[in-house]
Amino acid sequence: MSDGGLQEAAEGEAPREYRIASIAGDGIGLEVLPAGIAVLEAAAGTSFRVVWEHLDWGTDRYHRTGAMMPADGVDQLRAYDAIYLGAIGDPSLPDHITLWGLLLPIRKAFDQYVNVRPVRLLPGVTGPLRAKGPTEIDFVCVRENTEGEYAGVGGRVHRGTQYEVALETAVFSRFNVERVMRYSFELARTRRKHLTSVTKSNAQQFSMTMWDDVFDLVKQDYPDVATTSLLVDAAAALMVRAPERFDVVVASNLFADILTDLGGAIMGSLGLAPSANLDPDRRFPSMFEPVHGSAPDIAGQGIANPIGAIWAGAMMLEHLGQPAAAARIMAAVETVSADPASATADLGGSASTTRVTEAVIAQLST
Ligand code: GGG
């Protein structure tokens, strides 16, 4: 039965089946998600089965019906083992409508309280940091994913007048901060045993000092993990100057969102960066997506880099209990990334989305 972690079906036993809701969304999401699905299908082979439900949620649906997803959208998703998302956002709608109409409600409803974002330079990719290679650029950001600066608490009054006031209140609960930190310490234990906490507690004297207090308390339970605390501005500078100083990084929703775009840049392209919105307690489906957005400027041209979506798909398989298949996908991705003929435009090449996808699938069968 066992095959290096691959949950293969025993003879006569039906292969394990996973029900995945796929939301390609908008822009290049419509191109990179089918690429990821093709790779996951190839990786599944006969070892396990993926049953896809393709949901046409996104901006087109908004224009047809007035909503990014159905009113019972979250309830529909509850039945699935995981959610695989492409990208959302379109110039025809303000970004806060698309984000608050789909992505953020799903993260919150399913208590996906951590967003895991690996930052790793793949073999063969030349990043902007010339002196830093794959050994130096290899860390994971854990983004607090359900509250903080994206809590959705606030409002605007006296709109459009000179007396207009806008409030956007960041919300940090001790309970949530503690569980995100515990997740990060546990993750650090599986890696190089170093955790960096990122705040701005010199200026944000209430929420971020509580974050620091919780960090100091929780770290006592992890004496084997070395820790560093940095202000977000210093962390941004250090990620460029000395990325090797990071192993696992834990930060608030907004700070980690920004730092992981920086992470995507030092990986050589945001098109390579994956993310996993996890409910680590597995009460609800988790959601897997590339970090990048819908890139309307290149949508429809067949040139989007599918690797971020493919890597996110590998993270989904890992989460679902198929680590061997996930590892095979990542080995294939690393072989393909090392081949300049498979570089898409964001990496300075001319390969199409289809070519990269086919190259990854070809590697899976070697
Ligand atoms: N890959 C999903 C996507 O469309 N992301 C764009 C975006 O702006 N996301 C905001 C966020 O991750 O909070």
Side-chain angles (χ1 to χ4, degrees):
M1 166 98 177
S2 172
D3 172 16
L6 191 68
Q7 292 187 2
E8 283 197 327
E11 217 173 309
E13 201 179 276
R16 179 78 211 263
E17 190 172 285
Y18 301 100
R19 295 190 66 230
I20 308 294
S22 92
I23 308 171
D26 301 325
I28 60 166
L30 297 160
E31 297 161 57
V32 298
L33 208 70
I37 289 172
V39 169
L40 295 185
E41 282 292 327
T46 54
S47 306
F48 59 91
R49 224 166 83 79
V50 184
V51 179
W52 302 97
E53 182 76 44
H54 302 292
L55 302 169
D56 68 345
W57 301 356
T59 299
D60 278 354
R61 189 184 186 286
Y62 184 96
H63 290 307
R64 280 197 322 273
T65 69
M68 295 287 286
M69 63 177 174
D72 68 346
V74 163
D75 281 333
Q76 286 187 37
L77 292 174
R78 209 178 290 276
Y80 294 91
D81 293 307
I83 304 157
Y84 193 32
L85 176 78
I88 52 158
D90 187 86
S92 66
L93 278 181
D95 285 336
H96 68 276
I97 302 282
T98 49
L99 212 59
W100 281 97
L102 201 153
L103 189 58
L104 299 185
I106 295 172
R107 288 178 182 163
K108 287 171 196 290
F110 293 143
D111 206 11
Q112 295 166 349
Y113 60 89
V114 298
N115 186 328
V116 177
R117 296 183 161 196
V119 176
R120 182 153 76 82
L121 189 65
L122 292 174
V125 175
T126 307
L129 309 182
R130 302 289 159 185
K132 308 291 179 185
T135 314
E136 286 83 21
I137 302 175
D138 179 10
F139 60 91
V140 181
C141 277
V142 178
R143 169 183 179 186
E144 188 288 305
N145 208 35
T146 52
E147 54 176 40
E149 306 88 344
Y150 295 11
V153 175
R156 283 172 70 175
V157 290
H158 311 305
R159 269 185 192 251
T161 74
Q162 62 178 315
Y163 308 108
E164 180 160 3
V165 174
L167 294 175
E168 188 96 39
T169 306
V171 175
F172 290 85
S173 67
R174 192 175 186 102
F175 166 76
N176 192 49
V177 170
E178 178 171 342
R179 64 184 179 166
V180 171
M181 280 175 188
R182 288 198 184 277
Y183 181 91
S184 307
F185 274 106
E186 294 291 344
L187 180 62
R189 271 188 170 159
T190 69
R191 294 177 46 92
R192 300 192 301 276
K193 296 189 173 57
H194 184 266
L195 178 62
T196 303
S197 165
V198 174
T199 66
K200 189 68 185 169
S201 45
N202 56 347
Q204 295 178 301
Q205 57 179 324
F206 307 120
S207 57
M208 294 281 100
T209 53
M210 185 188 79
W211 178 289
D212 284 344
D213 288 349
V214 175
F215 188 64
D216 287 343
L217 206 66
V218 173
K219 77 180 175 198
Q220 291 171 22
D221 292 340
Y222 298 88
D224 51 322
V225 177
T227 58
T228 304
S229 291
L230 288 177
L231 298 178
V232 64
D233 39 354
L238 202 60
M239 270 180 197
V240 173
R241 270 197 316 109
E244 65 277 11
R245 300 265 286 273
F246 297 98
D247 176 23
V248 177
V249 179
V250 61
S252 71
N253 216 330
L254 176 64
F255 292 169
D257 193 6
I258 296 168
L259 288 176
T260 50
D261 262 41
L262 175 61
I266 65 174
M267 287 167 74
S269 167
L270 197 55
L272 299 167
S275 81
N277 302 272
L278 299 179
D279 164 23
D281 309 324
R282 294 176 182 270
R283 296 152 300 161
F284 305 108
S286 290
M287 178 165 65
F288 300 82
E289 54 172 325
V291 171
H292 64 71
S294 57
D297 54 329
I298 59 158
Q301 298 177 40
I303 59 169
N305 191 335
I307 298 230
I310 293 170
W311 191 342
M315 293 173 85
M316 181 165 74
L317 291 187
E318 177 96 43
H319 177 77
L320 291 172
Q322 297 292 343
R328 285 197 303 124
I329 292 175
M330 288 316 296
V333 162
E334 289 180 21
T335 305
V336 170
S337 74
D339 176 9
S342 291
T344 40
D346 53 317
L347 294 169
S350 59
S352 65
T353 309
T354 306
R355 184 192 160 115
V356 179
T357 308
E358 286 173 352
V360 173
I361 292 171
Q363 278 304 316
L364 282 172
S365 54
T366 58

